[in-house]
Amino acid sequence: MQTNESIEKKIIIFRLGEEEFGIPVELVKSIEKVQSITRVPGTASYITGVLNLRGVITPVIDLRERFELGSYESTELTRMIVVSINDTEAGLIADSANDVIDIRTEQIEPSPEVAGIIKTDYISGVVKVDKRLIIMLDLEEVLHSAPSLASSGA
Amino acid sequence: MEMSQYLEIFIEESKEHLQACNEKLLELEKSPENLSIVNDIFRSAHTLKGMSATMGYEDLANLTHQMENVLDAIRNGKNSVTPVLLDTVFASVDLLEEMVLSIADGGDGKKDVKHVVSRLKAIENGSDVPQPVDPSPQVSAENKLGSYDDFQKTVILQSKEQGFHAFELTVQLREGCLLKAVRAFMVFEILDQAGEIVKSVPSVDQLEEENFEYEFSVAILTQMSKEELESRILKVSEIEKVSALPIHLEQLAVQEETAAAFQQAAAASSELASAPEAVQKAKTSSKTIRVNIDRLDILMNLFEELVIDRGRLETISKDLKNAELQETVERMTRISGDLQSIILNMRMVPIETVFNRFPRMVRQLAKDLNKKIDLHISGAETELDRTVIDEIGDPLVHLIRNSMDHGIEAPEIRAGKGKSETGRVELKAYHSGNHVFIEVSDDGAGINREKVLWRAIERGIVTEQSSLEMTERQINELIFAPGFSTAEQISDISGRGVGLDVVKSAIEALGGSVTVDSEEGKGSLFSVQLPLTLSIISVLLVELEKEKYAIPISSVIETAVIRKEDIMNAHNQKVIDFRGKIVPLVFLKQIFDVPHAEAEDSEFLSMVVVKKGERLAGLVVDSFIGQLEVVLKPLGNYLNGVFAISGATILGDGEVALIVDCNALIK
């Protein structure tokens, strides 16, 4: 029996450079290898484009570009994490994604003032597991706080 | 018994039956003697009664029961179709509709039906007994054989020319005759010797089976005289009487013509009924099954994936060059092609479902407006995608109301203008290319352009200055402007103060357009153009460097290759003289910021000429790939409002191509 304090939570872990990020598993629909992406003109630079995900046109966001770390380089390990939040689906490109861990909610600590490579706006908290520090992403923020898309390409 | 699971079916079917009642009542109004229409209404009412009783909606059942009684009285000739009766039955159907709608909205379907029920009861009991009219022409008593077909007529005519007599012979056997068939056979024996039998009633087969009373008739060609023939036949025992009458074909012809004229008149009167198609439909109805549109959407999505995989398979089989594999893939391609057209067709619904509600609406509205209006519907069988059908009803209601309220004049005014008192509103649908056109026209007053302009200037929609340069068409289109209404008062009829701008935006939201043509004093024509389906469009695929873009064929006028040196500059805009017209050029590569490799300077440019209304533009691309049908997909919530991109599509190889929004590119 668990105490009501500690609710188990599964999170998907992915990497950008040296850092590890986490997203709750219920928001993740699938993890895919990066297929060919069609560029959409007139959109923000971190929007790599759209791709066909089993018949659904899905926008793809380059997380590196999103966090102003330069654009991603495709390797064998590069993965796209397909997330779905508030009826919006998107693929997030990460350097690699290969881990699922269980945490308890009380392990999540509030986001620190400085959290390494990305702005704290995008962080909902951090989790320490053994010696790893996992940054929990605030997906809503990642998907929506963008300045409005370029609307004039002419 | 738990009823909720049947509720949806009940509501759907009730609506259908009520719609049928409405249609048939309108028909009945036009031809009140037609009992078969009464029968149809009776059946619908009866079914409705049964259903609502089962579902426990007592008021519904009560009212339908009483309606049924009145209809039954008509069927049995105890009552006749009068305007009062029709009005009451219409009122009952209205009430029933309200009740069904209230059930659909989660209500209990209860309603005070006493008033209408008592009116129905009064009609059932109180009215005088009319003489039932039998519209079928009486066949003259002498002519027992009825009419002859063309072949028989020719035979009779020819033998008459050769000196034969043609007789119509009626033989009566003695009552109580035991071997009727044998007697008939003996008569035929004699007749065969005497001449040639053209026709017999009953037929020979039936005579052999003794399928007749004591009398039969035969048409015979013979050289014998009437008396000789009669006496020969009388020699057969147990024959009571025989009478031969010469056949006069001329007389027959006259009779038939009358009958034909009668039928034609009947047909013509039924053509006058507002929905002749509805009659046809009833005959051709086939077994159907209701399917949730969401399931069809899922099926469509799955199928698209299949198509994409099929594309991959095709590529693989081409590479492998294995004959057996290639054959299989080809077969699969063909089958899936057939499947595709079936799936697309499944979503197509005849526009009838929308048009059906209009005859009733027009009838009521004409009464309210004190106008005489005939509604003519054609092309109701035209098919449209279900998604479009669902959306098009309301805009059409507005347009028809507009025509009736603002277009058609009051009967006195019409008479004064030398028009017939009854106005004509026409509703027409037809396919043309990849579009469906729906037209609402009337022979009313037309648009008073001066009044429209004056009103538009008053409302600040146009300035007086700019109004001077407007074409007739542009002035007509002002009635679609937001905040515009020519009605002196906002009437309940033309849309509760909702202007035609709502109609325009609703239609445009469906990817269609609406235009109006009008001649003052003669009438107006509203023409709505809609895409056949929202999901499948025909596109021209073009290439910009390595990227592929799709341009909807509906906006493409033609493709051309132009010389670079022909490009001219006008107001900082590159233009080209295209068939005598100055067409601005749009360099898609710049607009879409396509990453380019090396600047390859070619002497020629490929150009797609596209249109937006009257205006043209030339889109400069690298090369044309070809035309294909694609499934239109939205870019999704996240990427809405991308400039000059209206959506995306998945190509055969699984890649995504963006669809160019030509309207955004032409300013």
Side-chain angles (χ1 to χ4, degrees):
Chain A
M1 286 291 282
Q2 288 177 337
T3 61
N4 52 3
E5 284 284 305
S6 57
I7 301 158
E8 291 259 332
K9 208 172 175 173
K10 270 194 193 329
I11 55 172
I12 303 271
I13 308 284
F14 62 88
R15 280 178 172 277
L16 282 181
E18 290 306 302
E19 308 209 21
E20 288 190 304
F21 296 86
I23 305 174
V25 74
E26 65 268 14
L27 298 179
V28 176
K29 293 189 74 181
S30 62
I31 297 175
E32 313 271 337
K33 287 198 173 179
V34 177
Q35 315 152 19
S36 72
I37 297 168
T38 301
R39 190 184 65 90
V40 180
T43 50
S45 63
Y46 58 82
I47 293 173
T48 316
V50 290
L51 58 68
N52 159 29
L53 195 68
R54 286 175 287 279
V56 179
I57 305 283
T58 311
V60 182
I61 294 168
D62 180 354
L63 279 185
R64 276 184 169 270
E65 189 80 43
R66 184 77 184 91
F67 301 146
E68 290 155 32
L69 303 170
S71 57
Y72 80 97
E73 270 167 50
S74 187
T75 70
E76 266 299 293
L77 294 173
T78 310
R79 290 292 180 274
M80 183 179 72
I81 302 151
V82 182
V83 297
S84 172
I85 182 165
N86 302 337
D87 279 338
T88 302
E89 254 180 54
L92 308 175
I93 297 182
D95 290 349
S96 69
N98 44 20
D99 211 353
V100 182
I101 59 166
D102 290 317
I103 55 163
R104 290 186 309 282
T105 42
E106 79 263 16
Q107 279 182 284
I108 302 178
E109 291 167 27
S111 54
E113 284 300 306
V114 180
I117 58 173
I118 67 165
K119 280 195 203 145
T120 49
D121 303 0
Y122 303 131
I123 300 171
S124 65
V126 291
V127 182
K128 273 187 223 129
V129 182
D130 302 330
K131 279 182 185 158
R132 297 157 77 182
L133 181 79
I134 293 155
I135 302 165
M136 297 296 292
L137 275 187
D138 183 343
L139 266 191
E140 241 169 291
E141 198 71 11
V142 172
L143 287 184
H144 284 287
S145 73
S148 64
L149 301 173
S151 58
S152 67
Chain B
M1 193 155 104
E2 180 52 50
M3 286 295 181
S4 59
Q5 51 175 323
Y6 304 115
L7 193 61
E8 208 173 308
I9 303 172
F10 168 75
I11 292 167
E12 277 298 308
E13 293 200 352
S14 305
K15 281 184 186 165
E16 270 172 28
H17 283 299
L18 287 173
Q19 180 60 45
C21 283
N22 262 329
E23 276 168 33
K24 295 286 170 189
L25 280 170
L26 285 168
E27 271 179 51
L28 189 64
E29 198 174 27
K30 300 244 158 83
S31 46
E33 283 91 28
N34 195 338
L35 285 187
S36 76
I37 301 177
V38 180
N39 273 328
D40 288 342
I41 305 171
F42 182 85
R43 269 197 298 278
S44 281
H46 186 75
T47 316
L48 198 59
K49 181 180 91 171
M51 290 195 310
S52 37
T54 316
M55 297 292 291
Y57 297 115
E58 279 174 29
D59 287 346
L60 255 175
N62 269 341
L63 185 52
T64 31
H65 177 70
Q66 197 51 50
M67 211 169 99
E68 216 183 46
N69 283 350
V70 170
L71 293 167
D72 203 34
I74 303 173
R75 285 206 306 182
N76 299 329
K78 286 184 197 145
N79 218 333
S80 68
V81 180
T82 59
V84 180
L85 180 143
L86 274 175
D87 276 348
T88 316
V89 178
F90 267 130
S92 330
V93 173
D94 276 350
L95 253 185
L96 292 173
E97 237 160 21
E98 274 176 41
M99 286 191 262
V100 171
L101 284 181
S102 104
I103 293 167
D105 288 343
D108 54 5
K110 282 203 196 309
K111 196 121 208 166
D112 185 14
V113 296
K114 278 191 206 113
H115 179 61
V116 175
V117 166
S118 64
R119 266 168 72 192
L120 285 171
K121 275 203 173 128
I123 288 172
E124 192 196 346
N125 302 327
S127 342
D128 50 334
V129 184
Q131 297 305 314
V133 187
D134 185 0
S136 66
Q138 292 291 322
V139 178
S140 75
E142 293 132 54
N143 185 5
K144 293 211 171 68
L145 283 166
S147 62
Y148 296 91
D149 62 32
D150 285 347
F151 174 71
Q152 289 163 342
K153 276 186 209 160
T154 321
V155 171
I156 293 172
L157 276 176
Q158 279 177 358
S159 50
K160 272 196 168 176
E161 280 163 17
Q162 289 164 16
F164 282 80
H165 305 288
F167 290 116
E168 205 170 293
L169 210 61
T170 306
V171 182
Q172 203 171 355
L173 302 179
R174 206 166 285 164
E175 217 161 302
C177 164
L178 284 174
L179 300 161
K180 290 195 291 185
V182 176
R183 299 304 165 208
F185 176 73
M186 288 167 80
V187 172
F188 271 74
E189 281 274 81
I190 294 169
L191 293 178
D192 266 341
Q193 286 167 11
E196 199 182 334
I197 298 169
V198 180
K199 190 184 179 184
S200 82
V201 173
S203 67
V204 180
D205 293 347
Q206 282 175 317
L207 290 171
E208 277 175 9
E209 285 166 23
E210 289 197 4
N211 250 339
F212 65 109
E213 286 289 302
Y214 291 98
E215 195 183 276
F216 59 89
S217 303
V218 177
I220 183 170
L221 302 169
T222 177
Q223 281 179 318
M224 286 183 198
S225 67
K226 177 177 183 283
E227 291 73 27
E228 198 182 348
L229 198 64
E230 283 177 352
S231 67
R232 279 198 181 207
I233 292 169
L234 280 174
K235 281 189 185 140
V236 179
S237 51
E238 289 189 296
I239 298 275
E240 177 80 44
K241 205 172 100 188
V242 67
S243 64
L245 287 169
I247 297 172
H248 297 292
L249 272 180
E250 304 76 32
Q251 216 173 319
L252 274 176
V254 173
Q255 266 178 21
E256 273 168 31
E257 260 170 34
T258 345
F262 213 99
Q263 274 172 356
Q264 260 175 10
S269 71
S270 73
E271 258 169 44
L272 278 178
S274 59
E277 281 89 350
V279 183
Q280 262 178 359
K281 173 202 71 182
K283 281 179 205 147
T284 54
S285 71
S286 52
K287 284 181 184 161
T288 53
I289 179 170
R290 268 179 230 285
V291 182
N292 189 324
I293 190 82
D294 290 346
R295 288 198 193 166
L296 287 184
D297 284 344
I298 295 169
L299 180 66
M300 179 97 126
N301 278 335
L302 286 173
F303 185 76
E304 282 159 17
E305 280 174 54
L306 190 72
V307 169
I308 291 158
D309 283 342
R310 178 185 77 188
R312 281 190 200 135
L313 262 180
E314 280 172 329
T315 325
I316 293 169
S317 88
K318 252 181 223 154
D319 292 350
L320 287 181
K321 293 203 169 63
N322 176 321
E324 224 170 313
L325 177 66
Q326 270 173 345
E327 213 171 282
T328 316
V329 171
E330 268 167 33
R331 271 227 330 259
M332 204 189 111
T333 307
R334 212 166 42 240
I335 293 170
S336 56
D338 291 349
L339 249 179
Q340 180 173 18
S341 58
I342 288 174
I343 293 174
L344 291 181
N345 273 329
M346 267 192 330
R347 300 169 53 90
M348 300 298 270
V349 185
I351 198 161
E352 204 169 29
T353 47
V354 180
F355 280 8
N356 276 346
R357 53 202 254 207
F358 295 135
R360 185 63 214 287
M361 187 190 97
V362 169
R363 179 186 185 272
Q364 191 58 47
L365 205 55
K367 278 196 168 179
D368 294 350
L369 288 167
N370 283 324
K371 287 179 183 176
K372 290 184 185 163
I373 293 167
D374 260 349
L375 175 69
H376 294 258
I377 293 179
S378 57
E381 71 285 348
T382 312
E383 287 189 329
L384 265 169
D385 191 275
R386 180 62 206 238
T387 42
V388 185
I389 291 268
D390 288 345
E391 304 291 329
I392 196 62
D394 287 342
L396 285 182
V397 167
H398 277 298
L399 288 179
I400 292 175
R401 287 180 157 183
N402 181 71
S403 279
M404 294 183 67
D405 195 15
H406 302 309
I408 305 276
E409 313 91 330
E412 316 83 73
I413 300 176
R414 289 183 65 89
K417 283 182 178 172
K419 293 184 187 176
S420 76
E421 283 196 2
T422 309
R424 182 186 167 95
V425 173
E426 217 174 310
L427 188 59
K428 188 164 143 194
Y430 58 92
H431 283 287
S432 175
N434 256 344
H435 287 90
V436 169
F437 288 83
I438 304 171
E439 292 178 356
V440 178
S441 58
D442 63 71
D443 64 351
I447 294 173
N448 183 336
R449 292 198 189 88
E450 267 172 42
K451 204 166 145 193
V452 167
L453 255 187
W454 175 77
R455 182 59 70 103
I457 293 167
E458 188 195 53
R459 301 260 161 129
I461 296 164
V462 287
T463 60
E464 218 165 333
Q465 196 65 41
S466 61
S467 73
L468 297 173
E469 293 164 13
M470 290 179 89
T471 63
E472 286 192 355
R473 177 169 274 249
Q474 280 171 323
I475 297 172
N476 284 346
E477 315 249 287
L478 278 178
I479 60 172
F480 291 115
F484 189 90
S485 174
T486 41
E488 298 299 318
Q489 296 164 312
I490 289 170
S491 68
D492 200 27
I493 290 137
S494 61
R496 293 164 185 87
V498 178
L500 285 174
D501 58 314
V502 179
V503 172
K504 191 179 165 79
S505 58
I507 289 167
E508 279 174 355
L510 289 172
S513 61
V514 55
T515 55
V516 57
D517 276 310
S518 177
E519 197 175 333
E520 217 177 324
K522 294 261 176 73
S524 324
L525 172 98
F526 289 87
S527 178
V528 178
Q529 180 186 356
L530 289 169
L532 261 190
T533 148
L534 295 183
S535 50
I536 305 251
I537 59 167
S538 196
V539 296
L540 174 70
L541 208 59
V542 299
E543 214 165 17
L544 301 171
E545 296 289 341
K546 286 200 172 74
E547 297 183 354
K548 287 171 188 158
Y549 289 87
I551 302 172
I553 289 284
S554 54
S555 23
V556 172
I557 294 204
E558 62 176 295
T559 57
V561 175
I562 53 170
R563 298 171 77 89
K564 236 184 192 161
E565 57 198 49
D566 290 341
I567 297 175
M568 298 174 285
N569 274 303
H571 304 293
N572 288 330
Q573 164 80 58
K574 289 203 160 44
V575 298
I576 190 155
D577 184 348
F578 179 71
R579 299 191 202 290
K581 250 186 164 177
I582 297 298
V583 174
L585 287 179
V586 178
F587 291 84
L588 281 189
K589 258 200 253 183
Q590 284 168 22
I591 299 247
F592 291 150
D593 206 7
V594 179
H596 45 275
E598 280 129 64
E600 187 190 324
D601 229 15
S602 160
E603 201 185 325
F604 297 99
L605 291 175
S606 302
M607 170 179 82
V608 186
V609 183
V610 294
K611 64 162 192 283
K612 175 195 185 184
E614 308 274 292
R615 273 166 293 178
L616 300 179
L619 308 184
V620 179
V621 301
D622 279 356
S623 60
F624 312 123
I625 298 175
Q627 184 182 342
L628 73 164
E629 303 264 303
V630 297
V631 182
L632 178 63
K633 302 214 168 212
L635 274 184
N637 293 342
Y638 191 57
L639 287 181
N640 52 19
V642 178
F643 175 74
I645 300 292
S646 60
T649 185
I650 299 167
L651 301 176
D653 57 3
E655 298 271 315
V656 177
L658 299 176
I659 295 169
V660 179
D661 180 2
C662 295
N663 287 343
L665 287 174
I666 305 174
K667 282 175 212 106

